[in-house]
Amino acid sequence: MEQKVIFATGNEGKMREIRMILKDVAVTVLSLKEAGITLNVEENGSTFGENAMIKARACAKVADGIVLADDSGLEIDYLNKEPGIYSARYMGEDTSYRIKNQNLIDRLAGVPDEKRTARFVCAIAAVMPDGSERVTEGVIEGRIGYEEKGDGGFGYDPIFYVPEFGCTSAELTAEQKNAASHRGRALEKMKEELLEEGIWSRREE
Ligand code: ITT
């Protein structure tokens, strides 16, 4: 039977991207829901890496096999890197992204292009069955737009303008976003490490 990996996330948008990025690895990726696991962890770390590890360790306590977790968020320079590690909790977990995105646009009213710099950051944590741990990070630089654009991706994607593509990350195809995004880069690094160590192998074509 194929090796199993549990991805300790309840975010469907992340999960879609993760499945695509790992599709060439010979593993079956299960979400928390698919693994029948409910986690109730307090993400009380002070960095993306710490929070990713908190989620991965909590899941590893109750799961078999390799556990991965993602902690990510949007840092806006003009707002002193808010919402940062509080990106999911910003204005409340249940507030819609239409409202969160508009609020961030409003807070940047009158701020010129060169001061609208921002980045998405992602840390991926892994806990192995032998208890050993790994963390990788990825970043994508961009700017906060003036209105929501695009309906791809999730969360803050419609207001995150990516200069190298000339559009928001919600206007990218899933392939384009995964090739350039914070999550794509962090997970690609984790994939390369685990392939190199022989823990994972590539899927036969
Ligand atoms: P899990 O903890 O269950 O994985 P979560 O959504 O609570 O899900 P985080 O604590 O890592 O996850 O918060 C990440 C938030 O950052 C996410 O909810 C979005 O608001 C934002 N975010 C992260 N990556 C993003 C992306 O690729 N596009 C848009 N927004 C993103």
Side-chain angles (χ1 to χ4, degrees), residues 7-11 14 17 32 43 48 51 55 69-74 84-89 93 97 100 120-122 153-158 169 177 181-183:
F7 217 110
T9 182
N11 181 318
K14 285 184 183 178
E17 295 180 2
L32 284 176
E43 292 179 32
F48 294 105
N51 280 338
K55 291 185 245 187
D70 164 310
D71 198 68
S72 46
L74 176 65
I85 57 169
Y86 302 103
S87 292
R89 289 165 274 181
E93 292 259 1
Y97 276 89
K100 296 191 198 204
F120 274 124
V121 183
C122 174
F154 64 97
Y156 299 104
D157 280 327
S169 49
K177 184 180 170 191
S181 79
H182 52 316
R183 180 165 303 100

Side-chain angles (χ1 to χ4, degrees), residues 108-136:
L108 264 62
V111 177
D113 273 356
E114 66 273 16
K115 289 190 180 157
R116 302 177 78 91
T117 51
R119 69 202 54 76
F120 274 124
V121 183
C122 174
I124 301 285
V127 176
M128 301 296 137
D130 68 0
S132 67
E133 301 177 339
R134 289 151 186 77
V135 182
T136 57

Side-chain angles (χ1 to χ4, degrees), residues 36-50:
I37 296 171
T38 312
L39 284 188
N40 213 341
V41 285
E42 203 189 332
E43 292 179 32
N44 57 8
S46 54
T47 62
F48 294 105
E50 281 174 21

Side-chain angles (χ1 to χ4, degrees), residues 51-78:
N51 280 338
M53 195 49 85
I54 287 170
K55 291 185 245 187
R57 283 182 188 148
C59 182
K61 273 196 188 149
V62 295
D64 298 325
I66 297 175
V67 173
L68 299 181
D70 164 310
D71 198 68
S72 46
L74 176 65
E75 292 182 348
I76 302 177
D77 291 323
Y78 188 79

